[in-house]
RNA sequence: GGUGGGGUGGCCGAGAGGCGAGGCAACGGCCUGCAAAGCCGUGUACGCGGGUUCGAAUCCCGUCCCCACCUCCA
């Protein structure tokens, strides 16, 4: 089966064939760094992180680019507001902060949020402010081609002329006539209200640091333009996939496509859009107050569970957050981890036995023991998992395969079938890797090896005492020890070969 | 008004003409000294009304409702 993706532009699921064999070029929209990341940003990043990991798993070489839009109206507005006399600063917005400081600060907050959830960095993360010459060149090409014009009112703006581009609306299949005019649109020097800004002439109130020289006067780029300029700079005029949130389809991606296509670029071959995150069925919004930030999620659950939750739905579906969602994800994750923990012990034993057997055989024959032969194969994923991922990245289906393997693995453990355990262990491990779940950093408290070692010795002493009590059928003492450990957040599990402990 | 996507069991969430994906929760059983974990089993789920079909959650017609975008948005 071939890889297939739903392409927004054609509104169909199509076979995905890379433009260059063996390689994939991916551009997906990151953030306009004007505030703290919210879960929607993070979901999108996780979706495309899984996509990249999967494509790489299938042997493709992926070049991924995610923009940082670090200059725009909102950033300037927020910075300007911070200098106001009646400005009330809060933890996210200090007083008197230059726009570039604000943007850079939030850029780092995004990087932190991504890293906390195991989102790998893209190949490159270009900033809009670093690509002004590319944007100016693109505008010039559009003017030369007759698709853009400097504003007639001397404002220094340059607009894309929607009516000069018959294909306008092709991405979202909308007719220009049907579009509602923006109620508060400032017509300024536009020929048509639907024309959008490529370049915004500097206003007297703009800080000098937020203006660049151009053939049309000092100013700054409009939204949309940076993505066209940066994607084609790093990926070529025609690249494989352009991604982003569903809400970016219009106008952002529609305009990107128009300006790039009108300039003569082939642009994106596939458009992938991820669904929104809702809170109990409603879109999260600050005014309703039904928001939850990545930070808050991380306070409630382990990063791995948060990643599992944000990645578990199909990427095109709306993902609904509920107060119980993270607990459920935590339970699912723990089930997988519990199997991997127990399975690892069995697999390690099995390896050891083989090495011993090989050593004995080597002594007998005088040959050296071949060790490479016994290295577990972590390289292949079950066919059903592959089929699910190839079918428009059907992660929910893929997770079903993962959970099936966990159950089968647990049964094999119970049956003492070590070879089967090894196989399921390998399957689960490789699926977990593709989904990036093994790559999520644990919270700092859980990753101090010295502390963990000390704790292990102390708990083992307790468990030994309990084992002795159990051997003597002194249940009161045995249960007392277990209760004490439980009160300290240590869960004890008995098994045929002794007790295991883990932190709650 | 235009465009796109939906309504699936207690909850989340795939699927898309015929064997009830999967997770979470619940209940019963096995295992266990008791637990925990694990395993097995249970629930007659597809908004509503018609139709097509041997057979429909899946196709067709009608109808109700929801969400997103059209203004900044992942």
């Amino acid at each position: 089966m071939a890889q297939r993706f739903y392409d927004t532009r054609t509104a169909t699921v199509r076979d995905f064939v890379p433009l260059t064999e063996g390689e994939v070029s991916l551009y997906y929209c990151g953030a306009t760094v004007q505030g703290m990341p919210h879960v929607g940003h993070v979901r999108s990043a996780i979706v495309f992180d899984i996509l990249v990991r999967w494509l790489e798993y299938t042997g493709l070489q992926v070049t991924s680019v995610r923009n940082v839009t670090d200059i725009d109206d909102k950033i300037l507005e927020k910075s300007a507001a911070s200098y106001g006399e009646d400005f009330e600063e809060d933890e996210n917005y200090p007083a008197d902060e230059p726009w570039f400081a604000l943007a850079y600060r939030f850029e780092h907050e995004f990087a932190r949020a991504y890293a906390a959830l195991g989102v790998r960095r893209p190949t490159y993360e270009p900033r809009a402010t670093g690509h002004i010459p590319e944007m100016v060149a693109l505008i010039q090409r559009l003017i030369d081609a007759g698709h853009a014009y400097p504003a007639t009112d001397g404002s220094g703006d340059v607009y894309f002329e929607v009516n000069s581009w018959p294909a306008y609306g092709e991405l979202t299949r909308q007719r220009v006539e049907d579009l509602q005019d923006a109620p508060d649109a400032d017509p300024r020097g536009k020929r048509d209200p639907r024309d959008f800004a490529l370049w915004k002439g500097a206003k007297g109130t703009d800080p000098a640091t937020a203006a660049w020289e151009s053939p049309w006067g000092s100013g700054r780029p409009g939204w949309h333009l940076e993505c066209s300029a940066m994607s084609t700079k790093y990926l070529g005029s025609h690249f494989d996939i352009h991604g982003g949130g569903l809400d970016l389809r219009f106008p952002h991606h529609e305009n990107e496509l128009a300006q790039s296509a009108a300039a003569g670029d082939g642009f994106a071959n596939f458009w992938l859009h991820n669904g929104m995150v809702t809170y109990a069925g409603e879109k999260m919004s600050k005014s309703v107050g039904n928001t939850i930030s990545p930070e808050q999620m991380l306070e409630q659950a382990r990063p791995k569970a948060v990643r599992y939750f944000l990645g578990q739905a199909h990427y095109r579906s709306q993902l609904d957050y509920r107060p119980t969602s993270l607990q459920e994800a935590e339970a699912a994750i723990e089930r997988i981890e519990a199997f991997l923990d127990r399975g690892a012990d069995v697999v390690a034993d099995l390896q050891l036995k083989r090495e011993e057997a090989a050593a004995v055989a080597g002594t007998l024959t005088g040959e050296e023991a071949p060790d490479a032969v016994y290295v577990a194969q972590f390289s292949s994923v079950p066919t059903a998992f592959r089929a699910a991922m190839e079918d428009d990245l059907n992660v929910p289906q893929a997770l079903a395969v993962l959970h099936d393997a966990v159950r089968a693995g647990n049964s094999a453990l119970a049956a003492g079938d070590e070879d089967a355990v090894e196989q399921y262990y390998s399957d689960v491990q490789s699926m977990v890797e593709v989904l990036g779940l093994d790559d999520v950093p644990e919270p700092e408290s859980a990753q101090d090896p010295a502390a963990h070692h000390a704790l292990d010795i102390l708990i083992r002493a307790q468990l030994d005492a309990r084992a002795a009590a159990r051997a003597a059928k002194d249940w009161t003492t045995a249960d007392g020890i277990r209760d004490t450990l439980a009160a300290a957040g240590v869960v004890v599990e008995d098994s045929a070969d002794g007790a295991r402990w883990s932190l709650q």
Side-chain angles (χ1 to χ4, degrees):
Chain A
M1 194 170 146
Q3 181 67 54
R4 291 154 64 76
F5 290 123
Y6 177 87
D7 171 31
T8 303
R9 193 175 59 78
T10 55
T12 54
V13 176
R14 297 158 50 206
D15 280 1
F16 174 71
V17 181
L19 295 168
T20 303
E21 199 183 334
E23 297 175 16
V24 175
S25 42
L26 165 70
Y27 183 93
Y28 70 97
C29 284
T32 298
V33 283
Q34 46 130 338
M36 289 294 281
H38 64 248
V39 288
H41 292 111
V42 175
R43 179 198 186 183
S44 186
I46 289 173
V47 162
F48 290 102
D49 184 58
I50 291 174
L51 172 66
V52 170
R53 287 172 190 267
W54 170 245
L55 292 174
E56 288 182 346
Y57 174 81
T58 65
L60 295 162
Q61 194 190 337
V62 181
T63 304
S64 57
V65 175
R66 180 182 63 208
N67 62 294
V68 175
T69 296
D70 59 347
I71 175 82
D72 95 314
D73 290 355
K74 285 239 165 128
I75 292 171
L76 292 172
E77 275 168 27
K78 287 189 169 154
S79 167
S82 77
Y83 291 95
E85 278 181 17
D86 54 350
F87 178 73
E88 287 178 28
E89 63 180 342
D90 61 37
E91 54 179 332
N92 288 330
Y93 295 100
D96 302 340
E97 185 172 37
W99 68 271
F100 50 85
L102 183 149
Y104 190 57
R105 186 164 57 79
F106 286 124
E107 180 183 328
H108 281 271
E109 291 293 345
F110 273 83
R112 263 184 37 180
Y114 295 143
L117 293 170
V119 173
R120 291 195 309 194
R121 285 187 191 166
T123 310
Y124 189 49
E125 207 169 1
R127 295 191 188 115
T129 51
H131 297 77
I132 306 294
E134 288 82 354
M135 291 192 252
V136 166
L138 181 56
I139 295 170
Q140 190 60 58
R141 282 164 66 199
L142 286 167
I143 291 176
D144 293 346
H147 296 299
Y149 59 93
T152 50
D153 61 356
S155 60
D157 291 356
V158 180
Y159 298 109
F160 181 88
E161 185 166 22
V162 168
N163 287 318
S164 78
W165 187 246
Y168 188 82
E170 64 175 320
L171 180 67
T172 51
R173 286 170 300 291
Q174 307 201 66
R175 295 188 307 169
V176 177
E177 315 86 76
D178 291 336
L179 296 178
Q180 282 183 356
D181 293 342
D184 56 344
D186 176 6
R188 297 177 82 179
K190 289 184 183 180
R191 290 179 186 164
D192 184 284
R194 282 155 295 224
D195 291 351
F196 58 90
L198 298 168
W199 188 259
K200 296 186 170 189
K203 285 176 273 191
T205 52
D206 290 342
T209 46
W212 289 262
E213 286 312 311
S214 85
W216 315 285
S218 176
R220 59 192 164 88
W223 189 34
H224 319 310
L225 192 65
E226 78 282 19
C227 286
S228 283
M230 300 195 296
S231 59
T232 51
K233 169 159 183 159
Y234 298 106
L235 301 174
S237 64
H238 196 193
F239 56 94
D240 290 306
I241 300 170
H242 189 127
L246 201 53
D247 50 352
L248 292 179
R249 278 179 313 172
F250 194 94
H252 184 53
H253 288 165
E254 190 71 73
N255 290 353
E256 266 186 61
L257 176 58
Q259 70 205 176
S260 284
D265 290 338
F267 215 50
N269 200 206
F270 275 77
W271 289 85
L272 268 52
H273 290 101
N274 64 271
M276 303 289 101
V277 183
T278 54
Y279 192 116
E282 286 182 38
K283 186 180 179 181
M284 293 191 191
S285 89
K286 276 180 191 163
S287 53
V288 180
N290 61 343
T291 59
I292 175 163
S293 67
E295 264 186 339
Q296 288 171 309
M297 283 192 170
L298 288 167
E299 282 164 15
Q300 288 180 30
R302 295 161 58 211
K304 201 175 282 198
V306 174
R307 180 178 171 109
Y308 181 93
F309 166 67
L310 291 172
Q312 70 177 343
H314 183 98
Y315 78 91
R316 285 197 282 131
S317 295
Q318 182 173 294
L319 174 67
D320 198 34
Y321 171 80
R322 283 162 188 280
T324 56
S325 298
L326 291 173
Q327 270 170 265
E328 289 167 16
E330 188 99 50
I333 271 290
E334 276 171 13
R335 194 176 141 73
I336 296 166
E337 286 184 319
F339 167 67
L340 285 175
D341 276 355
R342 285 182 298 239
D345 290 349
V346 171
V347 170
D349 278 356
L350 204 55
Q351 303 275 31
L352 200 65
K353 276 191 223 165
R354 285 176 181 153
E355 276 165 30
E356 283 168 2
V360 171
T363 318
L364 293 175
T365 61
E367 288 170 18
E368 270 191 46
D371 47 14
V373 181
Y374 301 110
V375 173
Q377 301 289 307
F378 292 133
S379 57
S380 95
V381 117
T383 327
F385 183 91
R386 170 178 286 270
M389 295 298 274
E390 284 182 342
D391 181 18
D392 194 27
L393 213 64
N394 194 334
V395 169
Q397 197 105 69
L399 283 172
V401 177
L402 171 59
H403 281 110
D404 282 344
V406 168
R407 184 184 309 104
N410 277 326
S411 293
L413 277 169
D417 183 346
E418 296 184 339
D419 291 333
V421 169
E422 187 180 40
Q423 180 60 54
Y424 290 122
Y425 177 82
S426 157
D427 285 353
V428 171
Q429 182 63 34
S430 52
M431 290 187 273
V432 159
E433 281 172 19
V434 166
L435 296 172
L437 291 171
D438 67 322
D439 212 10
V440 184
E442 288 293 329
E444 278 176 28
S445 56
Q447 63 183 2
D448 181 341
H452 186 273
H453 183 64
L455 199 55
D456 186 56
I457 289 172
L458 293 171
I459 293 174
R460 291 249 162 254
Q462 295 292 300
L463 291 179
D464 288 346
R466 175 166 169 270
R470 290 183 72 207
K473 297 202 190 297
D474 178 0
W475 310 128
T476 314
T477 303
D479 291 353
I481 292 171
R482 187 170 64 197
D483 291 346
T484 304
L485 289 172
V490 176
V491 182
V492 176
E493 286 174 29
D494 289 325
S495 74
D497 42 41
R500 304 174 66 91
W501 69 270
S502 58
L503 290 177
Q504 184 106 46

